Amino acid sequence: MSIQFLQKIIDKSRRIVFFGGAGVSTESGIPDFRSQDGLYSQKWAYPPETILSRSFFDSNTAEFYRFYREKMIALWAKPNAAHFKLAELEQSGKLMAVVTQNIDGLHQAAGSKIVYELHGSVLRNYCMSCAEFYGVDHVVAFDPAETGCDGIPKCKKCGGVVKPDVVLYEEGLDEAVVRGAVESISKADTLIIGGTSLNVYPAASLIHYFRGSHIVLINKSATTADGQADLVIRESIGEVLGSIHV
């Protein structure tokens, strides 16, 4: 019954926005951050929250990259049914945008064009000195296990330290990305929230800009927005979205 209700909502909608989190990527095999088996339950020399902070990046860059290469880069991951269905909905003209907290680039890999990456992307990297752009392969190439170096990727142009274009703790969200996400959400007639606990702020607060008709929430566990939703589905987001007809 819930899938049928979701299908009816999507059939009537013309301006859908999808707001997603780690649960979308876990179905592609990427561990999430906060589940029992997520990154935060694993033991390192420092807590993951500390390692993934800007101050730690600046003061202990080699250790940051040791963790980052092993736990944050998942080039082997492939888009799943949720990613592909969202791309299909965009191509049909029903979906305006994807707003994601994920940094893996899987929405674009599936074919989505309008994606607001609130926390950045592992696929983009920049020299902190001259702003030269580098793809993820440049970061991977400095793996000390392969090269014997300290593991810190350096700029080929000026020798500066290359930093991933991801939002670390202690850093703010990109203003242009936030503006795009807010504008899309505020103009949507349907907001589908999927694969997120809505515990990560300020990203989760963006859903409060929604003024449309329907909120659909697809997540395996309860969230703070359950009471606002017209429909709550506690099932696999890939299976749910994969069953929708466009």
Side-chain angles (χ1 to χ4, degrees):
M1 182 66 71
S2 58
I3 301 296
Q4 294 174 349
F5 187 20
L6 174 58
Q7 184 70 63
K8 289 181 180 180
I9 291 174
I10 290 177
D11 288 344
K12 294 179 179 179
S13 299
R14 293 295 178 267
R15 299 184 308 279
I16 301 171
V17 167
F18 178 80
F19 182 95
V24 181
S25 294
T26 55
E27 296 189 25
S28 291
I30 299 176
D32 69 19
F33 282 81
R34 300 185 183 279
S35 71
Q36 184 175 357
D37 297 321
L39 291 181
Y40 287 5
S41 66
Q42 300 176 20
K43 293 183 179 179
W44 286 73
Y46 302 89
E49 298 95 329
T50 298
I51 298 174
L52 295 174
S53 67
R54 178 55 188 267
S55 56
F56 190 90
F57 174 87
D58 289 336
S59 64
N60 203 337
T61 312
E63 181 67 9
F64 168 89
Y65 269 114
R66 186 175 76 87
F67 179 91
Y68 182 81
R69 283 192 189 88
E70 182 172 339
K71 294 298 183 181
M72 307 303 292
I73 298 177
L75 299 182
W76 44 263
K78 304 298 181 184
N80 60 57
H83 296 107
F84 286 118
K85 186 61 65 174
L86 291 168
E88 186 180 352
L89 284 166
E90 181 188 61
Q91 292 161 10
S92 74
K94 282 185 171 291
L95 187 133
M96 296 170 57
V98 169
V99 180
T100 180
Q101 299 171 82
N102 299 330
I103 61 175
D104 48 50
L106 292 181
H107 284 292
Q108 293 93 327
S112 290
K113 304 300 183 185
I114 303 177
V115 182
Y116 295 104
E117 297 172 305
L118 297 175
H119 296 151
S121 172
V122 299
L123 303 182
R124 299 188 301 268
N125 306 271
Y126 296 92
C127 174
M128 297 174 66
S129 298
C130 71
E132 184 77 3
F133 170 83
Y134 291 96
V136 67
D137 290 344
H138 185 73
V139 173
V140 173
F142 278 79
D143 188 340
E146 301 292 334
T147 64
C149 67
D150 61 7
I152 303 174
K154 302 293 178 55
C155 178
K156 295 178 180 178
K157 185 176 179 180
C158 74
V161 173
V162 173
K163 179 185 178 295
D165 186 22
V166 298
V167 179
L168 303 177
Y169 290 104
E170 305 167 353
E171 292 184 324
L173 302 184
D174 182 277
E175 292 183 5
V177 173
V178 171
R179 283 197 301 271
V182 167
E183 182 177 2
S184 295
I185 291 172
S186 64
K187 292 180 178 179
D189 57 12
T190 295
L191 178 63
I192 301 177
I193 303 170
T196 174
S197 61
L198 295 175
N199 287 329
V200 178
Y201 285 83
S205 65
L206 299 187
I207 69 170
H208 299 306
Y209 288 93
F210 179 68
R211 297 292 182 269
S213 302
H214 298 291
I215 294 179
V216 176
L217 209 155
I218 308 169
N219 199 55
K220 291 183 178 179
S221 60
T223 78
T224 55
D226 285 7
Q228 305 170 46
D230 300 275
L231 174 62
V232 177
I233 302 177
R234 296 261 184 268
E235 298 175 31
S236 157
I237 190 165
E239 293 178 4
V240 171
L241 291 183
S243 66
I244 293 300
H245 301 288
V246 178

